[in-house]
Amino acid sequence: MGNCIICGKPVDGLVCKSHEEDVLFEFDGTSPSQLTPERYYRGTVDGYADFGVFVDIGDHVTGLLHRSELDRRLESLDWDEGDAVYVQVLDVRDNGNVDLGWSIRQREREFRGKLIDTPDGEQFPEEADESGDEAEAETDSTDSSQSQSDTASNEPAADEPVANGGDKTAGGAQQYAESGSDSEPEPTEPTEGTDTDADAQADPGIETETETETEPALNRTTVDTLLEQVGAIVRLEGEITSVRQTSGPTVFELRDETGTVECAAFEEAGVRAYPDVEVEDLVALEGEVEKRHGDLQVETETLEILDGDEHETVETRLADAIEQEARPDSVDLLADHDAVDAVHDEIVEAATTVRRAVMEARPIVVRHSATADGYVAGAAIERAVLPLIREKHTRDDAEYHYFERRPLDGQVYDMDAATGDVTSMLQARDRHGEQLPLVILVDAGATVESTDGYDLLELYDADRLVIDDSRADAEIADAVSVAVSPSLVDADVSDVTSSALAANVAAHVNDDVRADLTHLPAVSYWEAAPDAYTEIATEAGYDETAVSERREAVALEAHYQSYSDKRELVIDLLFDDSGDLAGHVSEQFRDKLETELETARQNLVTRSAGDLSVAVLDTDAFTHRFDFPPTELLLDALFRRERDEGTFVTVGLDDDELHVRATEPVDVRALGESIAEAVPDAGTRVVGGRDGHVEFLTGERDAVLEAALEALSETLA
């Protein structure tokens, strides 16, 4: 029975079970079965596979750190073969396979102790090493004492430098300072032939060791220069943008006028360092610059909150830098387009808002509809923002930490979506000390049905931004920070898409990616793309076939796992594909769409409404609910096909929804009001504003259809 090396409590061994996670183990066994699950071990990288990293634990055992256990993408690891790493043994399987877990502590000093794990139990590191260290320390102490004795007994010549200032007391103080002892050294009496402090003070020509030499203060450095100062001690001044407590150090994220860097401060494992420092505090920090697995990090030595003049100086410096850098330089639109030009000022404001969020190290969340237009528009914003995040942050995985693109179910930012976003952002704030994000709605969110969601965000002071080609409601302008919606300035929206708007915002956010964006507006048009957009797409190397294949491929992929961003796949389709991938996927799109179209056309019912001929499809009975294409995309294609043959209105009637497609714009909100008046018990409501659809109670389905046909005949005939 002994005492735990961490807490000192009696334990059968060297460490109690509750503190094993604070101890680093070196494995000295020869078999996987000799490992102890849940313990942390030092290992070395043996090699990579698509599914993870192989790590040698000791000389005879290899385990797998699966990619699902990593806190970052496998591709972002900066480990080379032979590098020392620290992992947790999760499980040793019956077949000898060893499952490893990620350790947030990737330095030996971040653990509170070290033991050797042997087949006979844990042991302290070899006694020989400890004896060697003690002998060396004893030799150093003897040498130091001898040196002081020699200094005290021999008065130097007038032209000889005085050791320790010729003051034995000063020499003792220096030895104390170097040893780090908790007790002060005992004062010693001056020996004969040695100047006393009083004598020295009486003679101004003699300097004494008791006069403390003040080290010069560190000059302030900036985050953008840290790569050139690895290994150096630096001073940073800026704002704390997040605080994350790990099982080892506390990680502060500091932003100055040039960028953001993580700063690790260690009190003891899992204990909050500098507990008074919070997000948005302005601070001065000193520490050593290190490069850890490819990421720059500052090992914090001192951290203080600034106040008074120092606080004001840093605050002004940050505000001036953000103001100067956030507003984009004068940037031309991608092409001449009246609807986009009508909101040029709003585009500049939107770009400024996005750039400011990047400068302030705030996360950006893009919510877009799960349609081809929504995905293309969201990808345009993503393409512009990610390089800025990489430029401003030193973490290799910063783009995954500070930018998220989440598809939205439908085109309304309802309470369900807003509640999910608020929950996520509050968890990030409470667990990791993150700032609240900028939420950008793309190809969605321009109607009053979204105001409840915006109100919830506003309660937490989360900024909102809308980019939408829909016919917007005036209330939205007051519900968000910036609204890029041509209809709000009475511009014609019949030939504009959300992608055309978003691509222009993206060009203003980051003009360096303009060449990547020029084909995106053309991709978003199912028909009659403005000539200006087809021309710049062709100039960029995307002919009509390339444009249509990408549109169809994105539309198909948008349907599957519609809740997922599919970042890498969308990037491949829109930016990095030579055409083979898009061509292959678009072929599947056409096959699936044609099959459904053929079925739909065979089951169309033509109805007369006054002088109006309407094609009605029972989408509940004659579409595959969960297969591609989704109802709205099918109705769009069906309408275009029927229109070419002379029928100018198509209605899709689901179990509890009604969708309208017509050659003339239909105000669906007015249509819903007419239906509600004719069928008051139908529980009618409109989702998506004037361009949306009507929802109703299933039991009034037939009555709703009749009322809709009557209203359409009065509106369109």
Side-chain angles (χ1 to χ4, degrees):
M1 178 72 70
N3 293 329
C4 173
I5 65 172
I6 303 299
C7 64
K9 294 180 180 179
V11 63
D12 186 14
L14 297 179
V15 62
C16 63
K17 188 67 176 177
S18 62
H19 284 101
E20 278 193 346
E21 65 178 18
D22 297 322
V23 175
L24 172 65
F25 288 89
E26 292 273 2
F27 183 58
D28 193 31
T30 59
S31 168
S33 62
Q34 296 167 341
L35 290 165
T36 304
E38 298 185 12
R39 285 181 174 178
Y40 288 88
Y41 289 86
R42 182 186 185 277
T44 55
V45 175
D46 183 60
Y48 282 84
D50 291 341
F51 43 82
V53 185
F54 290 106
V55 177
D56 291 335
I57 309 297
D59 297 330
H60 305 283
V61 175
T62 299
L64 173 65
L65 179 60
H66 194 273
R67 65 187 305 156
S68 63
E69 294 293 333
L70 299 175
D71 72 342
R72 66 194 70 181
R73 296 181 64 211
L74 179 64
E75 295 78 6
S76 70
L77 287 179
D78 190 29
W79 292 348
D80 295 324
E81 189 171 338
D83 281 356
V85 294
Y86 301 88
V87 294
Q88 184 181 35
V89 171
L90 300 178
D91 187 29
V92 179
R93 304 190 186 188
D94 293 340
N95 62 3
N97 288 347
V98 180
D99 297 333
L100 302 178
W102 172 262
S103 170
I104 193 66
R105 291 174 282 197
Q106 287 296 321
R107 259 188 294 251
E108 185 172 317
R109 72 176 193 171
E110 295 175 1
F111 293 88
R112 297 176 64 186
K114 178 181 177 181
L115 294 173
I116 309 298
D117 191 358
T118 75
D120 298 324
E122 63 265 18
Q123 299 178 359
F124 287 109
E126 293 181 353
E127 292 291 333
D129 292 341
E130 294 182 1
S131 299
D133 292 341
E134 291 171 1
E136 183 178 350
E138 184 177 349
T139 301
D140 291 343
S141 176
T142 302
D143 292 344
S144 176
S145 299
Q146 183 64 41
S147 175
Q148 292 180 40
S149 176
D150 292 343
T151 301
S153 61
N154 295 297
E155 185 176 348
D159 59 348
E160 185 178 348
V162 181
N164 291 331
D167 183 358
K168 188 172 182 181
T169 303
Q174 180 179 0
Q175 183 181 6
Y176 158 67
E178 292 174 352
S179 69
S181 172
D182 291 336
S183 59
E184 296 185 7
E186 296 181 4
T188 57
E189 296 294 333
T191 60
E192 185 179 351
T194 303
D195 292 331
T196 64
D197 288 345
D199 294 334
Q201 292 171 5
D203 186 349
I206 300 177
E207 295 182 359
T208 70
E209 189 69 20
T210 55
E211 295 177 6
T212 304
E213 294 184 7
T214 303
E215 293 186 6
L218 287 171
N219 291 326
R220 184 181 74 91
T221 192
T222 53
V223 171
D224 63 342
T225 66
L226 293 182
L227 186 59
E228 304 162 5
Q229 302 186 65
V230 174
I233 303 296
V234 299
R235 175 184 173 89
L236 298 170
E237 294 177 356
E239 179 187 8
I240 297 298
T241 58
S242 75
V243 182
R244 187 173 76 255
Q245 182 59 55
T246 73
S247 57
T250 305
V251 180
F252 297 92
E253 193 167 58
L254 181 145
R255 172 182 68 87
D256 70 5
E257 71 273 22
T258 68
T260 303
V261 66
E262 287 194 338
C263 306
F266 191 78
E267 178 72 24
E268 60 179 280
V271 175
R272 173 76 144 82
Y274 302 101
D276 293 337
V277 178
E278 299 292 349
V279 172
E280 297 185 357
D281 281 344
L282 299 184
V283 302
L285 181 148
E286 294 182 5
E288 182 180 354
V289 182
E290 294 186 354
K291 199 166 186 182
R292 181 183 179 190
H293 307 307
D295 295 342
L296 282 173
Q297 187 176 82
V298 177
E299 296 299 309
T300 305
E301 295 185 0
T302 65
L303 177 61
E304 62 173 321
I305 300 173
L306 299 177
D307 56 16
D309 292 342
E310 290 181 313
H311 180 282
E312 184 176 348
T313 298
V314 175
E315 185 177 46
T316 301
R317 183 192 302 141
L318 291 176
D320 290 347
I322 289 176
E323 185 65 28
Q324 179 178 354
E325 195 168 358
R327 195 155 192 92
D329 296 330
S330 179
V331 178
D332 293 332
L333 296 175
L334 293 176
D336 291 332
H337 188 185
D338 291 343
V340 177
D341 187 56
V343 289
H344 198 169
D345 290 346
E346 288 78 8
I347 287 173
V348 172
E349 286 301 315
T352 301
T353 301
V354 174
R355 290 173 61 88
R356 183 181 295 276
V358 176
M359 304 305 125
E360 294 176 345
R362 282 189 290 135
I364 295 175
V365 178
V366 174
R367 302 301 306 264
H368 60 80
S369 64
T371 64
D373 193 18
Y375 267 90
V376 174
I381 302 297
E382 179 180 82
R383 193 70 168 182
V385 171
L386 294 188
L388 297 183
I389 291 176
R390 298 185 196 110
E391 177 185 328
K392 289 296 176 183
H393 296 273
T394 58
R395 289 177 54 172
D396 281 352
D397 63 343
E399 63 188 75
Y400 292 91
H401 185 68
Y402 286 98
F403 186 92
E404 188 172 3
R405 180 168 53 76
R406 303 177 193 160
L408 191 65
D409 184 17
Q411 293 183 299
V412 173
Y413 189 63
D414 57 18
M415 281 296 291
D416 184 61
T419 300
D421 288 347
V422 168
T423 299
S424 296
M425 74 185 191
L426 293 181
Q427 288 175 343
R429 184 189 68 180
D430 294 342
R431 294 177 182 176
H432 310 301
E434 289 185 3
Q435 298 188 84
L436 298 180
L438 166 65
V439 180
I440 306 176
L441 273 295
V442 180
D443 193 41
T447 62
V448 292
E449 291 87 1
S450 296
T451 53
D452 287 345
Y454 296 142
D455 288 345
L456 183 59
L457 292 180
E458 186 176 16
L459 290 173
Y460 291 96
D461 294 325
D463 281 346
R464 293 86 59 205
L465 169 62
V466 170
I467 305 170
D468 195 1
D469 66 316
S470 301
R471 288 179 288 178
D473 293 320
E475 293 88 340
I476 292 300
D478 296 326
V480 300
S481 307
V482 184
V484 182
S485 180
S487 68
L488 290 177
V489 294
D490 297 325
D492 182 12
V493 296
S494 61
D495 69 339
V496 68
T497 63
S498 293
S499 294
L501 297 170
N504 278 284
V505 171
H508 284 67
V509 169
N510 187 354
D511 193 44
D512 291 342
V513 301
R514 170 180 286 261
D516 295 342
L517 305 170
T518 51
H519 67 294
L520 296 186
V523 170
S524 63
Y525 286 87
W526 286 100
E527 60 178 353
D531 292 341
Y533 290 139
T534 58
E535 288 172 5
I536 61 174
T538 301
E539 291 172 2
Y542 296 86
D543 60 18
E544 184 178 349
T545 299
V547 166
S548 64
E549 285 181 345
R550 280 158 179 77
R551 175 173 56 250
E552 293 168 352
V554 171
L556 180 68
E557 296 299 346
H559 174 72
Y560 295 106
Q561 296 187 14
S562 59
Y563 52 84
S564 170
D565 65 0
K566 300 178 276 287
R567 178 181 288 185
E568 291 77 13
L569 178 57
V570 171
I571 288 173
D572 285 345
L573 287 172
L574 292 178
F575 304 109
D576 299 333
D577 179 28
S578 61
D580 294 341
L581 176 62
H584 174 74
V585 178
S586 67
E587 185 175 349
Q588 295 183 35
F589 168 91
R590 289 189 293 271
D591 288 345
K592 293 177 181 293
L593 180 62
E594 285 300 325
T595 299
E596 288 294 306
L597 269 177
E598 183 62 28
T599 300
R601 295 191 72 194
Q602 291 178 4
N603 291 280
L604 278 176
V605 175
T606 302
R607 294 287 303 270
S608 296
D611 296 332
L612 190 67
S613 180
V614 180
V616 179
L617 176 66
D618 187 337
T619 56
D620 181 51
F622 298 108
T623 62
H624 293 93
R625 184 177 296 272
F626 302 110
D627 290 348
F628 186 85
T631 297
E632 293 196 22
L633 194 152
L634 174 64
L635 286 174
D636 289 339
L638 183 61
F639 166 68
R640 288 192 293 270
R641 190 74 59 90
E642 293 301 306
R643 179 198 60 196
D644 293 341
E645 296 186 8
T647 302
F648 302 128
V649 180
T650 300
V651 170
L653 184 66
D654 208 331
D655 189 41
D656 57 359
E657 294 181 0
L658 184 143
H659 298 259
V660 179
R661 301 292 185 268
T663 52
E664 296 293 328
V666 174
D667 186 336
V668 176
R669 185 169 286 137
L671 176 64
E673 291 173 356
S674 297
I675 295 172
E677 184 178 348
V679 192
D681 296 329
T684 305
R685 67 171 184 169
V686 174
V687 178
R690 287 175 287 175
D691 297 320
H693 65 274
V694 179
E695 293 185 351
F696 53 85
L697 298 176
T698 302
E700 298 288 352
R701 184 172 184 265
D702 293 340
V704 165
L705 175 60
E706 297 301 326
L709 294 176
E710 179 67 24
L712 288 171
S713 69
E714 294 175 358
T715 303
L716 299 176

